Amino acid sequence: MSDDELIPGLPEEVARECLLRVGFDQLPAARSTSRRWKAEVESPFYHRLRRARGMARPLLALAQAEPPLAAAGPANKYAGLSTSYRLVLHDPVAGGWAALPPLPGAGGLPLFCQLAAVAACGGERRRLVVVGGWDPETWAPTDAVHVYDFLSGSWRRGAAMPGPRRSFFACAAVGRWVFVAGGHDEEKNALRSAVAYDAEADAWVPLPDMAAERDEARGVCVGGRFVAVGGYPTEAQGRFAGSAEAFDPAAWAWGPVQERVLDEGTCPRTCCAAPAPSAGATMYMLRDGHLAARDATNNGGAAWRAVASLPEDGRAVTALAAIGDGRVVAIGAGSHGGEQAVYLLTTEEGGDKNGAAQSWARAAAPPEFAGVSYWDRAKSRFSLYTMFLCQLPRVALWGRIEMAKPTHDMTKEGDVCYRFMRAELPSHI
């Protein structure tokens, strides 16, 4: 192919229109075709045109158990017992699916890691950052950072996260920054410290401490600010606070604590907000079997309102994601332990955004991307199609053989907050 023409024999405008229609999973291949195509797909102008033509759509990055081994004969009994996880991309509008390449030099995706999409040149959110989590072999907290470039289709190792190796921290991206706050250290002490990762410079910088310790807080991006929602201090151990704190990158400071963002005791696991550069934003979460929303710019005064009922076959929701324009994605199943599926909430033509003309559409998933829950004979190993829960094999900790056993506590809103309790196994297992 000539480096002087986008597509030989076609006018420049027509060739560019063809290139604009390349799918998200084919961009790396297009970029490597020629120097001219590489320059084209890397230019901010190309991505502005994709947005203008409606070709740039939001993607979901999901952590999913590796498909069970297709084993036959004696090996069949071991099929489905893999503890390896991968990242997959889903286009909830067009319905496309694609698996990302595995992380380099790792034994699989870290358990309980956090994902954040950051902006690159031109303001495009073109990089995916994987932060922290647990080593899938040792279950030790890791400070590892991995960065995926959607255009090159490759991973690179990022600068390690500084400070104590933390678990279950709040995390969200604002522009090119990935913010991390709270969680707990290796001694199970809740943290109020925070750091930020500059994905362009591949460097971490410290932030001022939050006003409160926040273990298991939820991180969201609201109106250009990083918000840590909920969480609890060391002495509370699972009794979630209803407050939140917002960090303003422009002022490089935390704002005052926002009270009554959630009801006291509510797990913030399903809180989400569509990233937006404007001051206005809406936060969503699961409440009383409904998708609920509130004005995220109102510091504690706004009430949650029901937006839509959950789909009948997806009421056991494990994750929510807002993708803009009033569209929300839910990952759930008909019952706890059932097959997981992705649902997209959209407003029908002629309807409003108050739930009167909204409907859920279930995304069709090829077999290799279907989320099926299963339990082994000890009822201790499970695999849920979700970005939050990870498979729980038997592990050796502190010189004893112990088993991480999933349990859950139902809050008064009907949310499910998963806990991991240790139960000593009989010596013969």
Side-chain angles (χ1 to χ4, degrees), residues 83 106-111 134-140 393:
T83 59
L109 188 69
L111 309 182
W134 293 358
D135 184 288
E137 298 296 330
T138 66
W139 281 36

Side-chain angles (χ1 to χ4, degrees), residues 95-166:
W97 294 83
L100 290 182
L103 273 61
L109 188 69
L111 309 182
F112 308 110
C113 62
Q114 295 278 7
L115 310 179
V118 297
C121 299
E124 296 294 330
R125 301 176 71 84
R126 295 188 298 181
R127 291 177 184 164
L128 180 68
V129 182
V130 178
V131 184
W134 293 358
D135 184 288
E137 298 296 330
T138 66
W139 281 36
T142 177
D143 56 7
V145 174
H146 296 86
V147 183
Y148 180 78
D149 189 311
F150 286 95
L151 292 185
S152 67
S154 61
W155 291 95
R156 67 169 172 83
R157 188 71 179 259
M161 182 168 51
R165 295 195 174 187
R166 63 182 79 208

Side-chain angles (χ1 to χ4, degrees), residues 9-370:
L10 288 182
E12 190 83 353
E13 294 79 8
V14 176
R16 179 168 288 115
E17 287 293 332
C18 293
L19 198 56
L20 289 174
R21 285 159 172 76
V22 172
F24 70 89
D25 55 335
Q26 296 301 316
L27 283 175
R31 178 179 177 271
S32 62
T33 299
S34 68
R35 286 194 294 269
R36 182 66 196 281
W37 281 29
K38 180 177 183 294
E40 182 73 16
V41 300
E42 288 182 348
S43 68
F45 176 67
Y46 173 81
H47 293 281
R48 286 197 296 270
L49 281 180
R50 280 177 67 90
R51 288 199 305 271
R53 302 289 194 274
M55 302 299 171
R57 291 188 290 265
L59 295 177
L60 293 178
L62 306 171
Q64 184 184 41
E66 292 279 5
L69 296 174
N76 184 60
K77 64 180 179 179
Y78 299 110
L81 298 184
S82 170
T83 59
S84 180
Y85 285 77
R86 64 176 181 172
L87 288 174
V88 301
L89 298 179
H90 173 54
D91 181 346
V93 177
W97 294 83
L100 290 182
L103 273 61
L109 188 69
L111 309 182
F112 308 110
C113 62
Q114 295 278 7
L115 310 179
V118 297
C121 299
E124 296 294 330
R125 301 176 71 84
R126 295 188 298 181
R127 291 177 184 164
L128 180 68
V129 182
V130 178
V131 184
W134 293 358
D135 184 288
E137 298 296 330
T138 66
W139 281 36
T142 177
D143 56 7
V145 174
H146 296 86
V147 183
Y148 180 78
D149 189 311
F150 286 95
L151 292 185
S152 67
S154 61
W155 291 95
R156 67 169 172 83
R157 188 71 179 259
M161 182 168 51
R165 295 195 174 187
R166 63 182 79 208
S167 301
F168 302 106
F169 47 84
C171 180
V174 181
R176 74 173 194 263
W177 294 94
V178 177
F179 291 93
V180 169
H184 65 254
D185 62 19
E186 294 181 86
E187 301 299 324
K188 305 299 184 291
N189 297 307
L191 302 171
R192 67 177 69 208
S193 60
V195 290
Y197 175 66
D198 185 341
E200 288 292 310
D202 188 29
W204 289 87
V205 295
L207 302 183
D209 286 353
M210 294 185 291
E213 298 173 347
R214 296 186 182 274
D215 193 4
E216 293 195 57
R218 179 77 167 130
V220 295
C221 172
V222 175
R225 299 176 301 162
F226 167 63
V227 183
V229 183
Y232 50 83
T234 303
E235 63 275 8
Q237 284 302 306
R239 297 191 297 275
F240 287 92
S243 63
E245 298 183 54
F247 183 84
D248 186 350
W252 207 251
W254 292 95
V257 175
Q258 303 172 25
E259 301 292 348
R260 301 183 306 281
V261 174
L262 306 177
D263 294 337
E264 292 294 320
T266 299
C267 174
R269 175 178 54 85
T270 60
C271 286
C272 66
S278 62
T282 301
M283 187 181 296
Y284 299 90
M285 75 173 301
L286 176 66
R287 288 169 62 94
D288 297 321
H290 290 76
L291 176 69
R294 73 183 293 273
D295 178 7
T297 62
N298 191 313
N299 294 341
W304 289 94
R305 64 185 187 280
V307 173
S309 297
L310 294 175
E312 289 294 334
D313 57 345
R315 290 189 175 277
V317 170
T318 56
L320 293 176
I323 60 176
D325 298 328
R327 296 175 297 178
V328 179
V329 173
I331 300 175
S335 62
H336 294 290
E339 179 177 345
Q340 304 285 301
V342 177
Y343 302 84
L344 174 64
L345 178 71
T346 57
T347 302
E348 298 176 359
E349 186 175 354
D352 56 29
K353 293 187 177 180
N354 295 321
Q358 291 183 315
S359 62
W360 294 95
R362 177 168 176 164
E368 63 269 27
F369 296 107

